[in-house]
Amino acid sequence: MSHLVGFPDMHYMEAWKADARGLPMFPVTAFEDVIRDEIAAAINDRPVPREAWEPEVDSLVMVRVVLRIEEEFAINLPDDVMPAGGFESVEHCVATIIETCRERWNAGQSVREEV
């Protein structure tokens, strides 16, 4: 039986589609849903509203997002995905993280292991 190294069984797996090689394609919607869900939860958990000068997605929110992605998708993200000062908008944050996740996902696709 073959399986992909680094890709855990999870509830998103059933929605993934295979590419021509039979490997799972990058599930952009699943990643985006997780990122947006965690940002919304973190913002709602804030004890006080953010000040106008604070980034919309600060470092504490980013830590939560990165930990959730790493837990749910078994992808290790580099530290530089969390820029100093955070992100000024949710859209910029989502786009940046998805691009990094896509790169990591594609890098892991070339490894197959027989079990």
Side-chain angles (χ1 to χ4, degrees):
M1 170 184 181
S2 355
H3 77 282
L4 293 173
V5 175
F7 296 100
D9 285 334
M10 60 193 108
H11 62 278
Y12 292 112
M13 196 60 136
E14 61 202 39
W16 295 352
K17 296 179 180 168
D19 66 11
R21 299 171 295 165
L23 299 172
M25 292 179 5
F26 179 71
V28 68
T29 303
F31 275 87
E32 185 172 349
D33 289 348
V34 166
I35 295 165
R36 289 185 186 282
D37 179 63
E38 197 58 42
I39 290 171
I43 289 171
N44 289 334
D45 289 346
R46 277 193 180 131
V48 294
R50 70 179 182 89
E51 297 293 329
W53 56 267
E54 293 178 306
E56 190 169 0
V57 181
D58 63 22
S59 59
L60 294 176
V61 173
M62 281 303 302
V63 168
R64 287 179 57 158
V65 169
V66 168
L67 289 174
R68 183 154 170 208
I69 289 171
E70 289 181 345
E71 180 180 312
E72 290 199 28
F73 297 102
I75 291 179
N76 293 319
L77 297 176
D79 291 339
D80 65 358
V81 77
M82 297 185 283
F87 290 95
E88 292 302 317
S89 74
V90 170
E91 296 309 315
H92 183 225
C93 174
V94 170
T96 300
I97 295 173
I98 284 179
E99 185 56 35
T100 301
C101 290
R102 179 179 281 119
E103 289 168 5
R104 294 292 177 142
W105 177 275
N106 290 336
Q109 292 297 317
S110 61
V111 179
R112 279 189 162 274
E113 181 177 287
E114 294 296 320
V115 178

mmCIF file of all heavy atoms in Angstrom, residues 63-107:
data_model
loop_
_atom_site.group_PDB
_atom_site.id
_atom_site.type_symbol
_atom_site.label_atom_id
_atom_site.label_comp_id
_atom_site.label_asym_id
_atom_site.label_seq_id
_atom_site.Cartn_x
_atom_site.Cartn_y
_atom_site.Cartn_z
ATOM 1 N N VAL A 63 0.671 33.304 15.136
ATOM 2 C CA VAL A 63 1.121 32.087 15.825
ATOM 3 C C VAL A 63 -0.013 31.065 15.841
ATOM 4 O O VAL A 63 0.192 29.886 15.554
ATOM 5 C CB VAL A 63 1.623 32.402 17.246
ATOM 6 C CG1 VAL A 63 1.806 31.131 18.056
ATOM 7 C CG2 VAL A 63 2.920 33.187 17.184
ATOM 8 N N ARG A 64 -1.226 31.520 16.153
ATOM 9 C CA ARG A 64 -2.382 30.616 16.163
ATOM 10 C C ARG A 64 -2.637 30.025 14.781
ATOM 11 O O ARG A 64 -2.896 28.825 14.639
ATOM 12 C CB ARG A 64 -3.638 31.349 16.640
ATOM 13 C CG ARG A 64 -3.651 31.632 18.115
ATOM 14 C CD ARG A 64 -4.886 32.383 18.543
ATOM 15 N NE ARG A 64 -6.118 31.680 18.202
ATOM 16 C CZ ARG A 64 -7.278 31.893 18.808
ATOM 17 N NH1 ARG A 64 -7.367 32.789 19.768
ATOM 18 N NH2 ARG A 64 -8.353 31.234 18.437
ATOM 19 N N VAL A 65 -2.556 30.851 13.755
ATOM 20 C CA VAL A 65 -2.802 30.395 12.380
ATOM 21 C C VAL A 65 -1.763 29.350 11.982
ATOM 22 O O VAL A 65 -2.103 28.276 11.470
ATOM 23 C CB VAL A 65 -2.794 31.582 11.390
ATOM 24 C CG1 VAL A 65 -2.777 31.094 9.949
ATOM 25 C CG2 VAL A 65 -3.991 32.495 11.641
ATOM 26 N N VAL A 66 -0.501 29.652 12.218
ATOM 27 C CA VAL A 66 0.579 28.734 11.835
ATOM 28 C C VAL A 66 0.456 27.411 12.587
ATOM 29 O O VAL A 66 0.572 26.331 11.988
ATOM 30 C CB VAL A 66 1.961 29.384 12.061
ATOM 31 C CG1 VAL A 66 3.076 28.368 11.963
ATOM 32 C CG2 VAL A 66 2.171 30.514 11.056
ATOM 33 N N LEU A 67 0.188 27.467 13.883
ATOM 34 C CA LEU A 67 0.050 26.229 14.658
ATOM 35 C C LEU A 67 -1.106 25.370 14.148
ATOM 36 O O LEU A 67 -0.990 24.153 14.055
ATOM 37 C CB LEU A 67 -0.134 26.548 16.143
ATOM 38 C CG LEU A 67 1.101 27.085 16.855
ATOM 39 C CD1 LEU A 67 0.758 27.501 18.280
ATOM 40 C CD2 LEU A 67 2.231 26.066 16.841
ATOM 41 N N ARG A 68 -2.202 26.010 13.810
ATOM 42 C CA ARG A 68 -3.347 25.240 13.315
ATOM 43 C C ARG A 68 -3.051 24.605 11.963
ATOM 44 O O ARG A 68 -3.391 23.443 11.724
ATOM 45 C CB ARG A 68 -4.584 26.119 13.229
ATOM 46 C CG ARG A 68 -5.790 25.324 12.802
ATOM 47 C CD ARG A 68 -7.071 25.886 13.242
ATOM 48 N NE ARG A 68 -8.173 25.192 12.596
ATOM 49 C CZ ARG A 68 -9.338 25.737 12.354
ATOM 50 N NH1 ARG A 68 -9.585 26.979 12.730
ATOM 51 N NH2 ARG A 68 -10.289 25.048 11.760
ATOM 52 N N ILE A 69 -2.419 25.343 11.069
ATOM 53 C CA ILE A 69 -2.060 24.786 9.763
ATOM 54 C C ILE A 69 -1.110 23.606 9.940
ATOM 55 O O ILE A 69 -1.296 22.553 9.331
ATOM 56 C CB ILE A 69 -1.423 25.857 8.855
ATOM 57 C CG1 ILE A 69 -2.491 26.845 8.413
ATOM 58 C CG2 ILE A 69 -0.744 25.222 7.645
ATOM 59 C CD1 ILE A 69 -1.943 28.053 7.709
ATOM 60 N N GLU A 70 -0.103 23.788 10.780
ATOM 61 C CA GLU A 70 0.865 22.716 10.988
ATOM 62 C C GLU A 70 0.200 21.486 11.593
ATOM 63 O O GLU A 70 0.525 20.361 11.230
ATOM 64 C CB GLU A 70 2.022 23.211 11.850
ATOM 65 C CG GLU A 70 2.905 24.187 11.104
ATOM 66 C CD GLU A 70 4.082 24.698 11.913
ATOM 67 O OE1 GLU A 70 4.094 24.540 13.152
ATOM 68 O OE2 GLU A 70 5.002 25.268 11.285
ATOM 69 N N GLU A 71 -0.753 21.688 12.491
ATOM 70 C CA GLU A 71 -1.448 20.568 13.115
ATOM 71 C C GLU A 71 -2.397 19.865 12.136
ATOM 72 O O GLU A 71 -2.412 18.643 12.043
ATOM 73 C CB GLU A 71 -2.250 21.074 14.315
ATOM 74 C CG GLU A 71 -3.021 19.982 15.030
ATOM 75 C CD GLU A 71 -3.795 20.536 16.206
ATOM 76 O OE1 GLU A 71 -3.221 21.290 17.004
ATOM 77 O OE2 GLU A 71 -4.987 20.210 16.314
ATOM 78 N N GLU A 72 -3.186 20.626 11.405
ATOM 79 C CA GLU A 72 -4.200 20.030 10.535
ATOM 80 C C GLU A 72 -3.654 19.477 9.225
ATOM 81 O O GLU A 72 -4.210 18.529 8.683
ATOM 82 C CB GLU A 72 -5.318 21.031 10.243
ATOM 83 C CG GLU A 72 -6.158 21.289 11.472
ATOM 84 C CD GLU A 72 -7.507 21.880 11.164
ATOM 85 O OE1 GLU A 72 -8.045 21.643 10.064
ATOM 86 O OE2 GLU A 72 -8.018 22.585 12.034
ATOM 87 N N PHE A 73 -2.581 20.077 8.706
ATOM 88 C CA PHE A 73 -2.092 19.678 7.395
ATOM 89 C C PHE A 73 -0.698 19.055 7.421
ATOM 90 O O PHE A 73 -0.185 18.668 6.378
ATOM 91 C CB PHE A 73 -2.097 20.865 6.436
ATOM 92 C CG PHE A 73 -3.472 21.411 6.181
ATOM 93 C CD1 PHE A 73 -3.890 22.567 6.806
ATOM 94 C CD2 PHE A 73 -4.349 20.756 5.327
ATOM 95 C CE1 PHE A 73 -5.162 23.077 6.575
ATOM 96 C CE2 PHE A 73 -5.617 21.255 5.096
ATOM 97 C CZ PHE A 73 -6.032 22.422 5.726
ATOM 98 N N ALA A 74 -0.089 18.985 8.596
ATOM 99 C CA ALA A 74 1.255 18.397 8.738
ATOM 100 C C ALA A 74 2.265 19.037 7.793
ATOM 101 O O ALA A 74 3.064 18.366 7.159
ATOM 102 C CB ALA A 74 1.206 16.886 8.552
ATOM 103 N N ILE A 75 2.193 20.354 7.686
ATOM 104 C CA ILE A 75 3.145 21.118 6.882
ATOM 105 C C ILE A 75 3.886 22.049 7.832
ATOM 106 O O ILE A 75 3.258 22.803 8.566
ATOM 107 C CB ILE A 75 2.430 21.950 5.801
ATOM 108 C CG1 ILE A 75 1.844 21.024 4.733
ATOM 109 C CG2 ILE A 75 3.378 22.957 5.167
ATOM 110 C CD1 ILE A 75 1.113 21.744 3.636
ATOM 111 N N ASN A 76 5.202 21.977 7.834
ATOM 112 C CA ASN A 76 5.986 22.875 8.669
ATOM 113 C C ASN A 76 6.237 24.171 7.915
ATOM 114 O O ASN A 76 6.817 24.151 6.832
ATOM 115 C CB ASN A 76 7.321 22.227 9.054
ATOM 116 C CG ASN A 76 7.107 21.046 9.970
ATOM 117 O OD1 ASN A 76 6.276 21.092 10.867
ATOM 118 N ND2 ASN A 76 7.845 19.980 9.735
ATOM 119 N N LEU A 77 5.786 25.265 8.501
ATOM 120 C CA LEU A 77 5.958 26.567 7.856
ATOM 121 C C LEU A 77 7.200 27.261 8.406
ATOM 122 O O LEU A 77 7.507 27.150 9.587
ATOM 123 C CB LEU A 77 4.721 27.437 8.100
ATOM 124 C CG LEU A 77 3.422 26.891 7.501
ATOM 125 C CD1 LEU A 77 2.254 27.781 7.882
ATOM 126 C CD2 LEU A 77 3.534 26.790 5.999
ATOM 127 N N PRO A 78 7.904 27.985 7.547
ATOM 128 C CA PRO A 78 9.105 28.691 8.002
ATOM 129 C C PRO A 78 8.727 29.882 8.878
ATOM 130 O O PRO A 78 7.615 30.413 8.794
ATOM 131 C CB PRO A 78 9.748 29.164 6.693
ATOM 132 C CG PRO A 78 8.600 29.295 5.743
ATOM 133 C CD PRO A 78 7.626 28.210 6.122
ATOM 134 N N ASP A 79 9.647 30.294 9.729
ATOM 135 C CA ASP A 79 9.403 31.438 10.612
ATOM 136 C C ASP A 79 9.102 32.715 9.843
ATOM 137 O O ASP A 79 8.346 33.559 10.307
ATOM 138 C CB ASP A 79 10.606 31.678 11.529
ATOM 139 C CG ASP A 79 10.765 30.565 12.559
ATOM 140 O OD1 ASP A 79 9.771 29.850 12.826
ATOM 141 O OD2 ASP A 79 11.875 30.412 13.095
ATOM 142 N N ASP A 80 9.680 32.852 8.655
ATOM 143 C CA ASP A 80 9.488 34.099 7.909
ATOM 144 C C ASP A 80 8.089 34.249 7.312
ATOM 145 O O ASP A 80 7.775 35.278 6.734
ATOM 146 C CB ASP A 80 10.564 34.299 6.850
ATOM 147 C CG ASP A 80 10.525 33.252 5.745
ATOM 148 O OD1 ASP A 80 9.688 32.323 5.796
ATOM 149 O OD2 ASP A 80 11.359 33.368 4.827
ATOM 150 N N VAL A 81 7.216 33.235 7.495
ATOM 151 C CA VAL A 81 5.829 33.405 7.063
ATOM 152 C C VAL A 81 5.114 34.385 8.001
ATOM 153 O O VAL A 81 4.081 34.935 7.660
ATOM 154 C CB VAL A 81 5.085 32.047 6.983
ATOM 155 C CG1 VAL A 81 4.690 31.552 8.358
ATOM 156 C CG2 VAL A 81 3.864 32.153 6.098
ATOM 157 N N MET A 82 5.708 34.618 9.176
ATOM 158 C CA MET A 82 5.162 35.564 10.150
ATOM 159 C C MET A 82 6.040 36.811 10.155
ATOM 160 O O MET A 82 7.015 36.880 10.895
ATOM 161 C CB MET A 82 5.141 34.942 11.546
ATOM 162 C CG MET A 82 4.255 33.736 11.664
ATOM 163 S SD MET A 82 4.139 33.103 13.344
ATOM 164 C CE MET A 82 5.695 32.239 13.505
ATOM 165 N N PRO A 83 5.734 37.802 9.344
ATOM 166 C CA PRO A 83 6.591 38.990 9.277
ATOM 167 C C PRO A 83 6.517 39.815 10.558
ATOM 168 O O PRO A 83 5.477 39.854 11.233
ATOM 169 C CB PRO A 83 6.019 39.770 8.094
ATOM 170 C CG PRO A 83 4.586 39.373 8.052
ATOM 171 C CD PRO A 83 4.560 37.935 8.489
ATOM 172 N N ALA A 84 7.615 40.446 10.885
ATOM 173 C CA ALA A 84 7.626 41.348 12.041
ATOM 174 C C ALA A 84 6.562 42.418 11.820
ATOM 175 O O ALA A 84 6.447 42.981 10.745
ATOM 176 C CB ALA A 84 9.005 41.981 12.189
ATOM 177 N N GLY A 85 5.739 42.630 12.801
ATOM 178 C CA GLY A 85 4.698 43.648 12.686
ATOM 179 C C GLY A 85 3.375 43.112 12.167
ATOM 180 O O GLY A 85 2.378 43.800 12.171
ATOM 181 N N GLY A 86 3.348 41.859 11.713
ATOM 182 C CA GLY A 86 2.096 41.264 11.252
ATOM 183 C C GLY A 86 1.692 41.703 9.861
ATOM 184 O O GLY A 86 2.504 42.182 9.074
ATOM 185 N N PHE A 87 0.404 41.555 9.567
ATOM 186 C CA PHE A 87 -0.155 41.909 8.265
ATOM 187 C C PHE A 87 -1.178 43.024 8.431
ATOM 188 O O PHE A 87 -1.990 43.003 9.355
ATOM 189 C CB PHE A 87 -0.850 40.702 7.624
ATOM 190 C CG PHE A 87 0.086 39.622 7.171
ATOM 191 C CD1 PHE A 87 0.356 38.543 7.986
ATOM 192 C CD2 PHE A 87 0.691 39.695 5.931
ATOM 193 C CE1 PHE A 87 1.215 37.539 7.568
ATOM 194 C CE2 PHE A 87 1.556 38.704 5.503
ATOM 195 C CZ PHE A 87 1.822 37.619 6.326
ATOM 196 N N GLU A 88 -1.162 43.963 7.516
ATOM 197 C CA GLU A 88 -2.106 45.086 7.564
ATOM 198 C C GLU A 88 -3.526 44.672 7.203
ATOM 199 O O GLU A 88 -4.477 45.333 7.583
ATOM 200 C CB GLU A 88 -1.641 46.218 6.645
ATOM 201 C CG GLU A 88 -0.373 46.899 7.133
ATOM 202 C CD GLU A 88 -0.515 47.491 8.533
ATOM 203 O OE1 GLU A 88 -1.552 48.105 8.832
ATOM 204 O OE2 GLU A 88 0.417 47.316 9.331
ATOM 205 N N SER A 89 -3.675 43.564 6.447
ATOM 206 C CA SER A 89 -5.016 43.122 6.077
ATOM 207 C C SER A 89 -5.111 41.600 6.128
ATOM 208 O O SER A 89 -4.117 40.893 5.960
ATOM 209 C CB SER A 89 -5.379 43.608 4.669
ATOM 210 O OG SER A 89 -4.681 42.862 3.697
ATOM 211 N N VAL A 90 -6.319 41.114 6.331
ATOM 212 C CA VAL A 90 -6.573 39.680 6.320
ATOM 213 C C VAL A 90 -6.273 39.115 4.935
ATOM 214 O O VAL A 90 -5.674 38.042 4.804
ATOM 215 C CB VAL A 90 -8.031 39.383 6.735
ATOM 216 C CG1 VAL A 90 -8.386 37.914 6.498
ATOM 217 C CG2 VAL A 90 -8.260 39.755 8.193
ATOM 218 N N GLU A 91 -6.647 39.839 3.885
ATOM 219 C CA GLU A 91 -6.437 39.353 2.515
ATOM 220 C C GLU A 91 -4.955 39.138 2.209
ATOM 221 O O GLU A 91 -4.582 38.129 1.601
ATOM 222 C CB GLU A 91 -7.054 40.313 1.496
ATOM 223 C CG GLU A 91 -8.559 40.432 1.604
ATOM 224 C CD GLU A 91 -9.284 39.093 1.609
ATOM 225 O OE1 GLU A 91 -8.952 38.226 0.778
ATOM 226 O OE2 GLU A 91 -10.176 38.913 2.452
ATOM 227 N N HIS A 92 -4.115 40.082 2.620
ATOM 228 C CA HIS A 92 -2.671 39.940 2.397
ATOM 229 C C HIS A 92 -2.137 38.744 3.179
ATOM 230 O O HIS A 92 -1.327 37.962 2.659
ATOM 231 C CB HIS A 92 -1.948 41.228 2.778
ATOM 232 C CG HIS A 92 -0.484 41.181 2.511
ATOM 233 N ND1 HIS A 92 0.449 41.624 3.407
ATOM 234 C CD2 HIS A 92 0.234 40.733 1.440
ATOM 235 C CE1 HIS A 92 1.659 41.449 2.919
ATOM 236 N NE2 HIS A 92 1.553 40.913 1.730
ATOM 237 N N CYS A 93 -2.602 38.583 4.396
ATOM 238 C CA CYS A 93 -2.192 37.458 5.235
ATOM 239 C C CYS A 93 -2.570 36.136 4.571
ATOM 240 O O CYS A 93 -1.733 35.240 4.435
ATOM 241 C CB CYS A 93 -2.850 37.577 6.610
ATOM 242 S SG CYS A 93 -2.547 36.168 7.679
ATOM 243 N N VAL A 94 -3.827 36.006 4.169
ATOM 244 C CA VAL A 94 -4.307 34.761 3.557
ATOM 245 C C VAL A 94 -3.511 34.445 2.289
ATOM 246 O O VAL A 94 -3.047 33.313 2.105
ATOM 247 C CB VAL A 94 -5.820 34.851 3.258
ATOM 248 C CG1 VAL A 94 -6.277 33.667 2.409
ATOM 249 C CG2 VAL A 94 -6.624 34.925 4.548
ATOM 250 N N ALA A 95 -3.320 35.423 1.431
ATOM 251 C CA ALA A 95 -2.587 35.205 0.178
ATOM 252 C C ALA A 95 -1.150 34.760 0.437
ATOM 253 O O ALA A 95 -0.649 33.836 -0.219
ATOM 254 C CB ALA A 95 -2.610 36.471 -0.670
ATOM 255 N N THR A 96 -0.488 35.395 1.386
ATOM 256 C CA THR A 96 0.901 35.061 1.702
ATOM 257 C C THR A 96 1.024 33.652 2.275
ATOM 258 O O THR A 96 1.883 32.871 1.851
ATOM 259 C CB THR A 96 1.479 36.083 2.704
ATOM 260 O OG1 THR A 96 1.429 37.380 2.110
ATOM 261 C CG2 THR A 96 2.906 35.748 3.085
ATOM 262 N N ILE A 97 0.152 33.321 3.205
ATOM 263 C CA ILE A 97 0.225 32.004 3.829
ATOM 264 C C ILE A 97 -0.132 30.908 2.833
ATOM 265 O O ILE A 97 0.517 29.860 2.783
ATOM 266 C CB ILE A 97 -0.675 31.935 5.075
ATOM 267 C CG1 ILE A 97 -0.140 32.894 6.137
ATOM 268 C CG2 ILE A 97 -0.725 30.520 5.635
ATOM 269 C CD1 ILE A 97 -1.041 33.039 7.334
ATOM 270 N N ILE A 98 -1.141 31.130 2.020
ATOM 271 C CA ILE A 98 -1.520 30.119 1.027
ATOM 272 C C ILE A 98 -0.377 29.877 0.046
ATOM 273 O O ILE A 98 -0.087 28.730 -0.307
ATOM 274 C CB ILE A 98 -2.823 30.505 0.303
ATOM 275 C CG1 ILE A 98 -4.001 30.245 1.237
ATOM 276 C CG2 ILE A 98 -2.986 29.730 -1.010
ATOM 277 C CD1 ILE A 98 -5.345 30.598 0.678
ATOM 278 N N GLU A 99 0.293 30.923 -0.388
ATOM 279 C CA GLU A 99 1.411 30.742 -1.317
ATOM 280 C C GLU A 99 2.528 29.922 -0.672
ATOM 281 O O GLU A 99 3.085 29.015 -1.305
ATOM 282 C CB GLU A 99 1.944 32.094 -1.792
ATOM 283 C CG GLU A 99 3.016 31.978 -2.852
ATOM 284 C CD GLU A 99 2.581 31.174 -4.079
ATOM 285 O OE1 GLU A 99 1.405 31.237 -4.467
ATOM 286 O OE2 GLU A 99 3.432 30.456 -4.645
ATOM 287 N N THR A 100 2.841 30.205 0.594
ATOM 288 C CA THR A 100 3.873 29.443 1.293
ATOM 289 C C THR A 100 3.437 27.989 1.466
ATOM 290 O O THR A 100 4.230 27.070 1.256
ATOM 291 C CB THR A 100 4.179 30.071 2.669
ATOM 292 O OG1 THR A 100 4.621 31.418 2.472
ATOM 293 C CG2 THR A 100 5.245 29.297 3.415
ATOM 294 N N CYS A 101 2.175 27.781 1.834
ATOM 295 C CA CYS A 101 1.655 26.419 1.997
ATOM 296 C C CYS A 101 1.686 25.659 0.676
ATOM 297 O O CYS A 101 2.037 24.482 0.641
ATOM 298 C CB CYS A 101 0.236 26.454 2.556
ATOM 299 S SG CYS A 101 0.143 26.982 4.277
ATOM 300 N N ARG A 102 1.327 26.320 -0.416
ATOM 301 C CA ARG A 102 1.348 25.687 -1.732
ATOM 302 C C ARG A 102 2.773 25.250 -2.088
ATOM 303 O O ARG A 102 2.979 24.140 -2.585
ATOM 304 C CB ARG A 102 0.808 26.637 -2.800
ATOM 305 C CG ARG A 102 0.821 26.032 -4.202
ATOM 306 C CD ARG A 102 0.272 26.978 -5.251
ATOM 307 N NE ARG A 102 -1.175 26.971 -5.192
ATOM 308 C CZ ARG A 102 -1.934 28.029 -4.923
ATOM 309 N NH1 ARG A 102 -1.391 29.198 -4.689
ATOM 310 N NH2 ARG A 102 -3.246 27.931 -4.901
ATOM 311 N N GLU A 103 3.751 26.100 -1.821
ATOM 312 C CA GLU A 103 5.144 25.750 -2.102
ATOM 313 C C GLU A 103 5.569 24.532 -1.282
ATOM 314 O O GLU A 103 6.207 23.615 -1.808
ATOM 315 C CB GLU A 103 6.063 26.934 -1.788
ATOM 316 C CG GLU A 103 5.922 28.086 -2.761
ATOM 317 C CD GLU A 103 6.614 29.347 -2.279
ATOM 318 O OE1 GLU A 103 7.294 29.324 -1.220
ATOM 319 O OE2 GLU A 103 6.478 30.379 -2.958
ATOM 320 N N ARG A 104 5.217 24.521 0.003
ATOM 321 C CA ARG A 104 5.572 23.398 0.877
ATOM 322 C C ARG A 104 4.849 22.122 0.451
ATOM 323 O O ARG A 104 5.415 21.043 0.461
ATOM 324 C CB ARG A 104 5.236 23.725 2.336
ATOM 325 C CG ARG A 104 6.046 24.837 2.930
ATOM 326 C CD ARG A 104 7.482 24.379 3.062
ATOM 327 N NE ARG A 104 8.302 25.453 3.572
ATOM 328 C CZ ARG A 104 9.283 25.280 4.432
ATOM 329 N NH1 ARG A 104 9.566 24.088 4.884
ATOM 330 N NH2 ARG A 104 9.987 26.308 4.829
ATOM 331 N N TRP A 105 3.581 22.260 0.102
ATOM 332 C CA TRP A 105 2.769 21.124 -0.344
ATOM 333 C C TRP A 105 3.397 20.495 -1.588
ATOM 334 O O TRP A 105 3.586 19.289 -1.655
ATOM 335 C CB TRP A 105 1.362 21.623 -0.649
ATOM 336 C CG TRP A 105 0.428 20.591 -1.195
ATOM 337 C CD1 TRP A 105 0.297 20.209 -2.499
ATOM 338 C CD2 TRP A 105 -0.507 19.810 -0.457
ATOM 339 N NE1 TRP A 105 -0.682 19.253 -2.614
ATOM 340 C CE2 TRP A 105 -1.182 18.986 -1.381
ATOM 341 C CE3 TRP A 105 -0.850 19.746 0.895
ATOM 342 C CZ2 TRP A 105 -2.176 18.100 -0.986
ATOM 343 C CZ3 TRP A 105 -1.841 18.863 1.274
ATOM 344 C CH2 TRP A 105 -2.488 18.056 0.345
ATOM 345 N N ASN A 106 3.689 21.326 -2.579
ATOM 346 C CA ASN A 106 4.256 20.824 -3.832
ATOM 347 C C ASN A 106 5.627 20.200 -3.625
ATOM 348 O O ASN A 106 5.964 19.228 -4.287
ATOM 349 C CB ASN A 106 4.303 21.929 -4.881
ATOM 350 C CG ASN A 106 2.913 22.306 -5.364
ATOM 351 O OD1 ASN A 106 1.974 21.512 -5.288
ATOM 352 N ND2 ASN A 106 2.763 23.529 -5.822
ATOM 353 N N ALA A 107 6.409 20.739 -2.714
ATOM 354 C CA ALA A 107 7.724 20.168 -2.426
ATOM 355 C C ALA A 107 7.591 18.777 -1.821
ATOM 356 O O ALA A 107 8.409 17.892 -2.089
ATOM 357 C CB ALA A 107 8.504 21.083 -1.478
#
